[in-house]
Amino acid sequence: ELDPMIDPILEKNTFMEGQQRMIKLGDKVVEWDNDFRLYLTSKLANPHYSPEVMGKTMIINYSVTMDGLENQLLNVVVGNERPDLEEQ
């Protein structure tokens, strides 16, 4: 489960204070940069998140399987050895 303190970041609950966009984290107000990105990683092989978290985030599965690696390697070899087969 994710720490509720980062909810304002996930929901992008920002507000203007003068000319500066701000966000409230806990009891502190800090400047917000529109180029800010938050990346979270997990060591879990198959993490499960609540629907609430799934709605606030974009989950990308970068896990690699042996079958996936075999297919990638096969595509590279075929592309180098037989480009005509790769087109098919």
Side-chain angles (χ1 to χ4, degrees):
E1 194 62 30
L2 298 178
D3 189 334
M5 186 165 181
I6 67 170
D7 277 347
I9 295 172
L10 298 178
E11 296 170 1
K12 295 184 180 176
N13 288 339
T14 62
F15 59 92
M16 294 299 290
E17 191 171 280
Q19 297 293 319
Q20 182 62 45
R21 184 156 300 278
M22 309 295 278
I23 190 165
K24 186 171 184 174
L25 298 174
D27 60 348
K28 292 186 178 183
V29 175
V30 295
E31 293 181 15
W32 175 260
D33 185 338
N34 284 330
D35 294 327
F36 175 77
R37 301 291 182 264
L38 177 66
Y39 297 92
L40 304 172
T41 61
S42 173
K43 292 183 180 183
L44 300 175
N46 191 15
H48 294 281
Y49 297 103
S50 69
E52 182 181 56
V53 170
M54 297 289 281
K56 295 177 187 176
T57 61
M58 178 184 301
I59 308 289
I60 302 173
N61 185 351
Y62 284 107
S63 63
V64 178
T65 64
M66 286 304 290
D67 287 341
L69 287 174
E70 287 174 8
N71 286 335
Q72 288 179 27
L73 182 57
L74 179 62
N75 287 336
V76 169
V77 171
V78 169
N80 286 328
E81 298 292 324
R82 298 282 310 270
D84 56 311
L85 286 178
E86 185 181 33
E87 291 176 11
Q88 296 175 0

